[in-house]
PDB file of all heavy atoms in Angstrom:
ATOM      1  N   ARG D 272      -7.940  10.677  -0.554  1.00 95.00           N
ATOM      2  CA  ARG D 272      -6.700  10.792  -1.319  1.00 95.00           C
ATOM      3  C   ARG D 272      -5.493  11.042  -0.420  1.00 95.00           C
ATOM      4  O   ARG D 272      -4.357  10.786  -0.828  1.00 95.00           O
ATOM      5  CB  ARG D 272      -6.804  11.901  -2.372  1.00 95.00           C
ATOM      6  CG  ARG D 272      -7.699  11.508  -3.534  1.00 95.00           C
ATOM      7  CD  ARG D 272      -7.588  12.455  -4.709  1.00 95.00           C
ATOM      8  NE  ARG D 272      -8.353  11.947  -5.841  1.00 95.00           N
ATOM      9  CZ  ARG D 272      -7.884  11.088  -6.733  1.00 95.00           C
ATOM     10  NH1 ARG D 272      -6.639  10.649  -6.632  1.00 95.00           N
ATOM     11  NH2 ARG D 272      -8.639  10.677  -7.735  1.00 95.00           N
ATOM     12  N   ASP D 273      -5.741  11.534   0.801  1.00 95.00           N
ATOM     13  CA  ASP D 273      -4.607  11.754   1.702  1.00 95.00           C
ATOM     14  C   ASP D 273      -4.316  10.516   2.552  1.00 95.00           C
ATOM     15  O   ASP D 273      -3.535  10.568   3.496  1.00 95.00           O
ATOM     16  CB  ASP D 273      -4.851  12.972   2.599  1.00 95.00           C
ATOM     17  CG  ASP D 273      -6.112  12.825   3.454  1.00 95.00           C
ATOM     18  OD1 ASP D 273      -6.822  11.807   3.298  1.00 95.00           O
ATOM     19  OD2 ASP D 273      -6.381  13.723   4.268  1.00 95.00           O
ATOM     20  N   GLY D 274      -4.949   9.383   2.211  1.00 95.00           N
ATOM     21  CA  GLY D 274      -4.622   8.131   2.888  1.00 95.00           C
ATOM     22  C   GLY D 274      -3.269   7.613   2.435  1.00 95.00           C
ATOM     23  O   GLY D 274      -2.635   8.168   1.528  1.00 95.00           O
ATOM     24  N   CYS D 275      -2.820   6.549   3.061  1.00 96.00           N
ATOM     25  CA  CYS D 275      -1.530   5.952   2.701  1.00 96.00           C
ATOM     26  C   CYS D 275      -1.775   4.785   1.745  1.00 96.00           C
ATOM     27  O   CYS D 275      -2.472   3.834   2.092  1.00 96.00           O
ATOM     28  CB  CYS D 275      -0.823   5.460   3.968  1.00 96.00           C
ATOM     29  SG  CYS D 275       0.734   4.613   3.636  1.00 96.00           S
ATOM     30  N   TYR D 276      -1.220   4.869   0.545  1.00 97.00           N
ATOM     31  CA  TYR D 276      -1.393   3.827  -0.473  1.00 97.00           C
ATOM     32  C   TYR D 276      -0.035   3.208  -0.777  1.00 97.00           C
ATOM     33  O   TYR D 276       0.925   3.928  -1.047  1.00 97.00           O
ATOM     34  CB  TYR D 276      -1.996   4.414  -1.749  1.00 97.00           C
ATOM     35  CG  TYR D 276      -3.388   4.975  -1.558  1.00 97.00           C
ATOM     36  CD1 TYR D 276      -3.582   6.293  -1.137  1.00 97.00           C
ATOM     37  CD2 TYR D 276      -4.513   4.189  -1.779  1.00 97.00           C
ATOM     38  CE1 TYR D 276      -4.855   6.807  -0.951  1.00 97.00           C
ATOM     39  CE2 TYR D 276      -5.791   4.696  -1.595  1.00 97.00           C
ATOM     40  CZ  TYR D 276      -5.956   6.001  -1.180  1.00 97.00           C
ATOM     41  OH  TYR D 276      -7.217   6.503  -0.984  1.00 97.00           O
ATOM     42  N   LYS D 277       0.033   1.877  -0.732  1.00 96.00           N
ATOM     43  CA  LYS D 277       1.338   1.242  -0.933  1.00 96.00           C
ATOM     44  C   LYS D 277       1.188  -0.088  -1.660  1.00 96.00           C
ATOM     45  O   LYS D 277       0.339  -0.912  -1.296  1.00 96.00           O
ATOM     46  CB  LYS D 277       2.034   1.016   0.413  1.00 96.00           C
ATOM     47  CG  LYS D 277       3.445   0.456   0.283  1.00 96.00           C
ATOM     48  CD  LYS D 277       4.158   0.434   1.616  1.00 96.00           C
ATOM     49  CE  LYS D 277       5.542  -0.182   1.509  1.00 96.00           C
ATOM     50  NZ  LYS D 277       6.435   0.590   0.619  1.00 96.00           N
ATOM     51  N   GLN D 278       2.006  -0.290  -2.692  1.00 93.00           N
ATOM     52  CA  GLN D 278       2.095  -1.589  -3.349  1.00 93.00           C
ATOM     53  C   GLN D 278       3.286  -2.344  -2.767  1.00 93.00           C
ATOM     54  O   GLN D 278       4.403  -1.813  -2.725  1.00 93.00           O
ATOM     55  CB  GLN D 278       2.301  -1.416  -4.861  1.00 93.00           C
ATOM     56  CG  GLN D 278       1.042  -0.994  -5.605  1.00 93.00           C
ATOM     57  CD  GLN D 278       1.291  -0.899  -7.098  1.00 93.00           C
ATOM     58  OE1 GLN D 278       1.742   0.129  -7.592  1.00 93.00           O
ATOM     59  NE2 GLN D 278       0.995  -1.963  -7.814  1.00 93.00           N
ATOM     60  N   VAL D 279       3.039  -3.567  -2.321  1.00 91.00           N
ATOM     61  CA  VAL D 279       4.080  -4.373  -1.683  1.00 91.00           C
ATOM     62  C   VAL D 279       4.564  -5.429  -2.672  1.00 91.00           C
ATOM     63  O   VAL D 279       3.759  -6.070  -3.359  1.00 91.00           O
ATOM     64  CB  VAL D 279       3.534  -5.056  -0.407  1.00 91.00           C
ATOM     65  CG1 VAL D 279       4.625  -5.870   0.270  1.00 91.00           C
ATOM     66  CG2 VAL D 279       2.984  -4.003   0.546  1.00 91.00           C
ATOM     67  N   VAL D 280       5.861  -5.608  -2.767  1.00 87.00           N
ATOM     68  CA  VAL D 280       6.433  -6.577  -3.712  1.00 87.00           C
ATOM     69  C   VAL D 280       5.990  -7.985  -3.338  1.00 87.00           C
ATOM     70  O   VAL D 280       6.003  -8.369  -2.165  1.00 87.00           O
ATOM     71  CB  VAL D 280       7.972  -6.478  -3.715  1.00 87.00           C
ATOM     72  CG1 VAL D 280       8.578  -7.546  -4.615  1.00 87.00           C
ATOM     73  CG2 VAL D 280       8.400  -5.089  -4.173  1.00 87.00           C
ATOM     74  N   SER D 281       5.603  -8.774  -4.346  1.00 88.00           N
ATOM     75  CA  SER D 281       5.157 -10.151  -4.107  1.00 88.00           C
ATOM     76  C   SER D 281       6.334 -11.056  -3.772  1.00 88.00           C
ATOM     77  O   SER D 281       7.431 -10.885  -4.306  1.00 88.00           O
ATOM     78  CB  SER D 281       4.453 -10.678  -5.355  1.00 88.00           C
ATOM     79  OG  SER D 281       4.194 -12.065  -5.228  1.00 88.00           O
ATOM     80  N   PRO D 282       6.118 -12.061  -2.900  1.00 88.00           N
ATOM     81  CA  PRO D 282       7.181 -13.027  -2.618  1.00 88.00           C
ATOM     82  C   PRO D 282       7.317 -14.081  -3.717  1.00 88.00           C
ATOM     83  O   PRO D 282       8.260 -14.868  -3.710  1.00 88.00           O
ATOM     84  CB  PRO D 282       6.715 -13.683  -1.310  1.00 88.00           C
ATOM     85  CG  PRO D 282       5.218 -13.600  -1.367  1.00 88.00           C
ATOM     86  CD  PRO D 282       4.925 -12.293  -2.071  1.00 88.00           C
ATOM     87  N   PHE D 283       6.404 -14.110  -4.681  1.00 90.00           N
ATOM     88  CA  PHE D 283       6.441 -15.134  -5.724  1.00 90.00           C
ATOM     89  C   PHE D 283       7.522 -14.817  -6.754  1.00 90.00           C
ATOM     90  O   PHE D 283       7.788 -13.647  -7.066  1.00 90.00           O
ATOM     91  CB  PHE D 283       5.089 -15.261  -6.415  1.00 90.00           C
ATOM     92  CG  PHE D 283       3.979 -15.700  -5.486  1.00 90.00           C
ATOM     93  CD1 PHE D 283       2.667 -15.348  -5.746  1.00 90.00           C
ATOM     94  CD2 PHE D 283       4.237 -16.459  -4.360  1.00 90.00           C
ATOM     95  CE1 PHE D 283       1.633 -15.744  -4.907  1.00 90.00           C
ATOM     96  CE2 PHE D 283       3.218 -16.857  -3.505  1.00 90.00           C
ATOM     97  CZ  PHE D 283       1.922 -16.507  -3.779  1.00 90.00           C
ATOM     98  N   ASP D 284       8.111 -15.873  -7.317  1.00 89.00           N
ATOM     99  CA  ASP D 284       9.190 -15.722  -8.295  1.00 89.00           C
ATOM    100  C   ASP D 284       8.599 -15.760  -9.702  1.00 89.00           C
ATOM    101  O   ASP D 284       8.472 -16.823 -10.309  1.00 89.00           O
ATOM    102  CB  ASP D 284      10.221 -16.838  -8.112  1.00 89.00           C
ATOM    103  CG  ASP D 284      11.450 -16.624  -8.981  1.00 89.00           C
ATOM    104  OD1 ASP D 284      11.463 -15.627  -9.746  1.00 89.00           O
ATOM    105  OD2 ASP D 284      12.377 -17.438  -8.909  1.00 89.00           O
ATOM    106  N   TYR D 285       8.231 -14.589 -10.204  1.00 92.00           N
ATOM    107  CA  TYR D 285       7.586 -14.534 -11.520  1.00 92.00           C
ATOM    108  C   TYR D 285       8.555 -14.845 -12.655  1.00 92.00           C
ATOM    109  O   TYR D 285       8.119 -15.104 -13.784  1.00 92.00           O
ATOM    110  CB  TYR D 285       6.943 -13.163 -11.720  1.00 92.00           C
ATOM    111  CG  TYR D 285       5.699 -12.984 -10.886  1.00 92.00           C
ATOM    112  CD1 TYR D 285       5.739 -12.326  -9.654  1.00 92.00           C
ATOM    113  CD2 TYR D 285       4.484 -13.499 -11.301  1.00 92.00           C
ATOM    114  CE1 TYR D 285       4.602 -12.174  -8.878  1.00 92.00           C
ATOM    115  CE2 TYR D 285       3.337 -13.358 -10.534  1.00 92.00           C
ATOM    116  CZ  TYR D 285       3.409 -12.691  -9.319  1.00 92.00           C
ATOM    117  OH  TYR D 285       2.284 -12.555  -8.545  1.00 92.00           O
ATOM    118  N   ALA D 286       9.857 -14.820 -12.368  1.00 90.00           N
ATOM    119  CA  ALA D 286      10.827 -15.193 -13.401  1.00 90.00           C
ATOM    120  C   ALA D 286      10.690 -16.665 -13.778  1.00 90.00           C
ATOM    121  O   ALA D 286      11.135 -17.090 -14.845  1.00 90.00           O
ATOM    122  CB  ALA D 286      12.245 -14.903 -12.919  1.00 90.00           C
ATOM    123  N   ASN D 287      10.071 -17.456 -12.890  1.00 89.00           N
ATOM    124  CA  ASN D 287       9.859 -18.881 -13.167  1.00 89.00           C
ATOM    125  C   ASN D 287       8.542 -19.146 -13.886  1.00 89.00           C
ATOM    126  O   ASN D 287       8.132 -20.301 -14.035  1.00 89.00           O
ATOM    127  CB  ASN D 287       9.870 -19.690 -11.856  1.00 89.00           C
ATOM    128  CG  ASN D 287      11.276 -19.913 -11.349  1.00 89.00           C
ATOM    129  OD1 ASN D 287      12.217 -19.935 -12.137  1.00 89.00           O
ATOM    130  ND2 ASN D 287      11.419 -20.070 -10.045  1.00 89.00           N
ATOM    131  N   ALA D 288       7.838 -18.088 -14.290  1.00 96.00           N
ATOM    132  CA  ALA D 288       6.550 -18.257 -14.953  1.00 96.00           C
ATOM    133  C   ALA D 288       6.527 -17.446 -16.242  1.00 96.00           C
ATOM    134  O   ALA D 288       7.147 -16.387 -16.343  1.00 96.00           O
ATOM    135  CB  ALA D 288       5.419 -17.818 -14.028  1.00 96.00           C
ATOM    136  N   VAL D 289       5.811 -17.943 -17.220  1.00 97.00           N
ATOM    137  CA  VAL D 289       5.740 -17.320 -18.544  1.00 97.00           C
ATOM    138  C   VAL D 289       4.318 -16.840 -18.796  1.00 97.00           C
ATOM    139  O   VAL D 289       3.343 -17.527 -18.470  1.00 97.00           O
ATOM    140  CB  VAL D 289       6.151 -18.327 -19.639  1.00 97.00           C
ATOM    141  CG1 VAL D 289       5.870 -17.759 -21.036  1.00 97.00           C
ATOM    142  CG2 VAL D 289       7.613 -18.694 -19.500  1.00 97.00           C
ATOM    143  N   PHE D 290       4.195 -15.640 -19.369  1.00 97.00           N
ATOM    144  CA  PHE D 290       2.914 -15.144 -19.861  1.00 97.00           C
ATOM    145  C   PHE D 290       3.030 -15.074 -21.371  1.00 97.00           C
ATOM    146  O   PHE D 290       3.864 -14.323 -21.905  1.00 97.00           O
ATOM    147  CB  PHE D 290       2.594 -13.760 -19.290  1.00 97.00           C
ATOM    148  CG  PHE D 290       1.237 -13.234 -19.676  1.00 97.00           C
ATOM    149  CD1 PHE D 290       0.136 -13.421 -18.856  1.00 97.00           C
ATOM    150  CD2 PHE D 290       1.061 -12.555 -20.884  1.00 97.00           C
ATOM    151  CE1 PHE D 290      -1.116 -12.940 -19.217  1.00 97.00           C
ATOM    152  CE2 PHE D 290      -0.189 -12.063 -21.252  1.00 97.00           C
ATOM    153  CZ  PHE D 290      -1.279 -12.267 -20.415  1.00 97.00           C
ATOM    154  N   SER D 291       2.221 -15.856 -22.082  1.00 97.00           N
ATOM    155  CA  SER D 291       2.375 -15.933 -23.530  1.00 97.00           C
ATOM    156  C   SER D 291       1.084 -15.583 -24.256  1.00 97.00           C
ATOM    157  O   SER D 291      -0.019 -15.787 -23.735  1.00 97.00           O
ATOM    158  CB  SER D 291       2.829 -17.338 -23.952  1.00 97.00           C
ATOM    159  OG  SER D 291       1.790 -18.281 -23.729  1.00 97.00           O
ATOM    160  N   VAL D 292       1.255 -15.035 -25.446  1.00 97.00           N
ATOM    161  CA  VAL D 292       0.137 -14.785 -26.367  1.00 97.00           C
ATOM    162  C   VAL D 292       0.516 -15.436 -27.684  1.00 97.00           C
ATOM    163  O   VAL D 292       1.417 -14.954 -28.386  1.00 97.00           O
ATOM    164  CB  VAL D 292      -0.121 -13.277 -26.555  1.00 97.00           C
ATOM    165  CG1 VAL D 292      -1.301 -13.061 -27.500  1.00 97.00           C
ATOM    166  CG2 VAL D 292      -0.383 -12.595 -25.214  1.00 97.00           C
ATOM    167  N   PRO D 293      -0.112 -16.560 -28.062  1.00 96.00           N
ATOM    168  CA  PRO D 293       0.280 -17.275 -29.272  1.00 96.00           C
ATOM    169  C   PRO D 293      -0.254 -16.600 -30.539  1.00 96.00           C
ATOM    170  O   PRO D 293      -1.105 -15.710 -30.487  1.00 96.00           O
ATOM    171  CB  PRO D 293      -0.369 -18.654 -29.086  1.00 96.00           C
ATOM    172  CG  PRO D 293      -1.567 -18.394 -28.237  1.00 96.00           C
ATOM    173  CD  PRO D 293      -1.177 -17.264 -27.319  1.00 96.00           C
ATOM    174  N   ALA D 294       0.228 -17.038 -31.677  1.00 95.00           N
ATOM    175  CA  ALA D 294      -0.251 -16.538 -32.960  1.00 95.00           C
ATOM    176  C   ALA D 294      -1.682 -17.004 -33.195  1.00 95.00           C
ATOM    177  O   ALA D 294      -2.010 -18.178 -32.966  1.00 95.00           O
ATOM    178  CB  ALA D 294       0.653 -17.042 -34.082  1.00 95.00           C
ATOM    179  N   MET D 295      -2.542 -16.079 -33.596  1.00 95.00           N
ATOM    180  CA  MET D 295      -3.927 -16.390 -33.952  1.00 95.00           C
ATOM    181  C   MET D 295      -4.318 -15.456 -35.096  1.00 95.00           C
ATOM    182  O   MET D 295      -3.829 -14.323 -35.166  1.00 95.00           O
ATOM    183  CB  MET D 295      -4.872 -16.182 -32.762  1.00 95.00           C
ATOM    184  CG  MET D 295      -4.589 -17.079 -31.563  1.00 95.00           C
ATOM    185  SD  MET D 295      -5.647 -16.682 -30.126  1.00 95.00           S
ATOM    186  CE  MET D 295      -7.235 -17.296 -30.683  1.00 95.00           C
ATOM    187  N   ASP D 296      -5.188 -15.928 -35.973  1.00 93.00           N
ATOM    188  CA  ASP D 296      -5.568 -15.095 -37.115  1.00 93.00           C
ATOM    189  C   ASP D 296      -6.921 -14.417 -36.912  1.00 93.00           C
ATOM    190  O   ASP D 296      -7.576 -14.002 -37.868  1.00 93.00           O
ATOM    191  CB  ASP D 296      -5.585 -15.921 -38.401  1.00 93.00           C
ATOM    192  CG  ASP D 296      -6.553 -17.090 -38.326  1.00 93.00           C
ATOM    193  OD1 ASP D 296      -7.247 -17.223 -37.297  1.00 93.00           O
ATOM    194  OD2 ASP D 296      -6.620 -17.872 -39.302  1.00 93.00           O
ATOM    195  N   CYS D 297      -7.345 -14.314 -35.645  1.00 95.00           N
ATOM    196  CA  CYS D 297      -8.634 -13.660 -35.364  1.00 95.00           C
ATOM    197  C   CYS D 297      -8.591 -13.058 -33.962  1.00 95.00           C
ATOM    198  O   CYS D 297      -7.679 -13.335 -33.178  1.00 95.00           O
ATOM    199  CB  CYS D 297      -9.780 -14.677 -35.450  1.00 95.00           C
ATOM    200  SG  CYS D 297      -9.667 -15.999 -34.224  1.00 95.00           S
ATOM    201  N   GLU D 298      -9.596 -12.231 -33.681  1.00 95.00           N
ATOM    202  CA  GLU D 298      -9.752 -11.636 -32.359  1.00 95.00           C
ATOM    203  C   GLU D 298     -11.153 -11.954 -31.836  1.00 95.00           C
ATOM    204  O   GLU D 298     -12.035 -12.352 -32.614  1.00 95.00           O
ATOM    205  CB  GLU D 298      -9.528 -10.117 -32.434  1.00 95.00           C
ATOM    206  CG  GLU D 298      -8.089  -9.738 -32.747  1.00 95.00           C
ATOM    207  CD  GLU D 298      -7.852  -8.234 -32.718  1.00 95.00           C
ATOM    208  OE1 GLU D 298      -8.836  -7.471 -32.564  1.00 95.00           O
ATOM    209  OE2 GLU D 298      -6.686  -7.819 -32.844  1.00 95.00           O
TER     210      GLU D 298
END
Side-chain angles (χ1 to χ4, degrees):
R272 287 192 174 274
D273 59 357
C275 176
Y276 297 87
K277 184 172 177 63
Q278 285 183 274
V279 181
V280 176
S281 171
F283 297 153
D284 187 358
Y285 287 97
N287 282 333
V289 171
F290 184 94
S291 69
V292 181
M295 298 175 72
D296 59 3
C297 63
E298 292 184 354

